[in-house]
Amino acid sequence: MSYAKDMPDLKHGDDAAAVNSLRSAVMRLSRRLKHQRVDESLSPTEMSVLGTLSNCGSATPGELARKEHVQPPSMTRIVALLEAKGLVRLEPHPEDRRQKVVTHTEQAVVMLEESRRKRNAFLAALVDGLDEDEWAKLRAAAPVLEKLAHL
Amino acid sequence: MSYAKDMPDLKHGDDAAAVNSLRSAVMRLSRRLKHQRVDESLSPTEMSVLGTLSNCGSATPGELARKEHVQPPSMTRIVALLEAKGLVRLEPHPEDRRQKVVTHTEQAVVMLEESRRKRNAFLAALVDGLDEDEWAKLRAAAPVLEKLAHL
DNA sequence: TATTGTTATACTCTATAACTATA
DNA sequence: TATAGTTATAGAGTATAACAATA
């Protein structure tokens, strides 16, 4: 069955079933992952912010809010919590005194490294229930999902 | 860089980087999808429950809680909300008087059908930013992600 | 005694609106 | 006047603990 008639003129408009399947799976999987806290005291978004800082080096609260798709006041709270835990450091912006610069601490690096094993253990165990072909498909799709999340 | 040394003896143990990428992407994407409510009055889990019922036909609250990876009291609340909106019907279990049977109504079918276009519009627009090859990879991975969410 | 579902309650995360400080 | 960030407040969603009814 095709939903092509319902779709605007999109390249992949006739793949509505796949789109539905994708949405449902991502939502359910995320609910399970949410419970697999590396560190019980860190929320998924806090972890994600640390991951982002680990990649980017540093960022302003506003940049982080946009990257994580969260409102500025929420990011204020998240950054404050991370700072209280000694995982990020806040410094004045060199050019604009309204802004601040958030950087992750060495403690965050250690924590991220240390917790990677635990985090991977859960996901790897889940992924281990797949056969070689399924895992290959997932591995190929991972970067595309990342792109989609950023689009 | 390889994390193989950190992994237990799993089939796909040496793909920790892909696992990390997958986790991060799923979490971020889910946060965006959460905001794309089909019907403003329905939460993602409520939508997911209706989807499940649309597939399975009917289920007990306990079964739904397990399927949606939610605690029983949460499912009680969700089912009550759906019932108040006329989207599910609760009937006594034919064999076990402790249990109940939840079924989605005709109104839910209409709603699901009607809202598919809106839901797909957002996702399809997002997916439309991908090229043919990327979308093919995602399409191939969708069923695997579903399996993973259920594992 | 174990299980299904519910009630009562509290917590976490996020949002909106209003405010301050700087540009 | 516009922008970055914060404070105060409210709301949504979920969890845990204690309870009721049935097996």
Side-chain angles (χ1 to χ4, degrees):
Chain A
M1 139 159 127
S2 162
Y3 302 110
K5 64 173 166 57
D6 297 332
M7 305 298 302
D9 55 342
L10 299 170
K11 278 186 294 186
H12 316 305
D14 53 344
D15 288 317
V19 164
N20 270 328
S21 158
L22 191 64
R23 176 186 183 275
S24 164
V26 165
M27 290 311 298
R28 286 197 197 166
L29 193 53
S30 77
R31 214 170 303 135
R32 297 192 67 179
L33 290 174
K34 223 173 69 177
H35 289 290
Q36 289 301 323
R37 304 271 168 97
V38 195
D39 181 326
E40 267 314 308
S41 66
L42 286 168
S43 76
T45 308
E46 285 175 281
M47 277 303 301
S48 191
V49 166
L50 288 181
T52 297
L53 289 173
S54 183
N55 289 335
C56 308
S58 64
T60 67
E63 286 168 348
L64 289 173
R66 281 188 292 276
K67 277 185 187 169
E68 301 297 329
H69 299 288
V70 155
Q71 292 304 307
S74 301
M75 190 49 72
T76 292
R77 182 182 171 272
I78 290 164
V79 167
L81 289 171
L82 288 173
E83 192 190 23
K85 289 164 190 159
L87 296 169
V88 303
R89 191 172 42 245
L90 276 99
E91 284 153 356
H93 194 283
E95 289 148 17
D96 186 338
R97 280 190 296 169
R98 291 174 304 181
Q99 300 186 53
K100 294 178 179 175
V101 177
V102 187
T103 319
H104 66 300
T105 63
E106 181 58 31
Q107 188 180 333
V109 175
V110 171
M111 193 277 284
L112 284 168
E113 173 66 27
E114 181 215 335
S115 63
R116 179 156 39 207
R117 258 167 295 157
K118 299 188 206 168
R119 196 166 61 230
N120 286 344
F122 171 78
L123 262 177
L126 215 59
V127 153
D128 217 52
L130 304 174
D131 62 35
E132 200 51 58
D133 179 55
E134 289 171 323
W135 175 228
K137 283 176 181 163
L138 216 50
R139 222 169 34 218
V144 184
L145 278 170
E146 288 214 65
K147 181 174 174 183
L148 209 58
H150 287 294
L151 232 56
Chain B
M1 129 161 134
S2 162
Y3 303 110
K5 63 173 169 53
D6 296 333
M7 303 302 299
D9 56 341
L10 299 170
K11 278 185 292 185
H12 317 303
D14 53 344
D15 288 316
V19 164
N20 270 328
S21 160
L22 190 65
R23 175 186 183 276
S24 165
V26 165
M27 290 311 299
R28 286 196 197 169
L29 193 53
S30 76
R31 213 170 305 134
R32 297 191 66 180
L33 290 175
K34 225 173 68 174
H35 289 289
Q36 291 300 325
R37 303 273 168 95
V38 194
D39 181 327
E40 268 313 309
S41 66
L42 284 169
S43 77
T45 309
E46 286 175 282
M47 276 304 300
S48 192
V49 166
L50 288 181
T52 297
L53 289 174
S54 182
N55 288 336
C56 309
S58 65
T60 68
E63 284 168 349
L64 289 172
R66 281 187 292 276
K67 278 185 186 168
E68 301 297 329
H69 298 288
V70 154
Q71 292 304 307
S74 301
M75 189 49 70
T76 292
R77 182 179 171 274
I78 290 163
V79 166
L81 289 171
L82 288 173
E83 192 190 20
K85 288 163 190 159
L87 296 169
V88 303
R89 190 172 42 246
L90 276 100
E91 284 153 356
H93 193 284
E95 287 148 20
D96 186 337
R97 280 189 297 168
R98 291 173 306 180
Q99 301 187 52
K100 293 179 180 176
V101 176
V102 187
T103 318
H104 65 301
T105 62
E106 181 59 30
Q107 189 182 333
V109 175
V110 171
M111 193 277 283
L112 285 168
E113 172 66 27
E114 182 215 333
S115 62
R116 179 158 37 208
R117 258 167 296 158
K118 298 190 206 166
R119 195 166 63 229
N120 285 345
F122 171 77
L123 262 176
L126 215 60
V127 152
D128 217 53
L130 305 173
D131 63 34
E132 200 50 59
D133 181 54
E134 289 171 325
W135 176 229
K137 282 176 182 164
L138 217 50
R139 224 169 32 217
V144 184
L145 277 170
E146 288 214 66
K147 180 174 174 182
L148 209 59
H150 287 295
L151 233 56

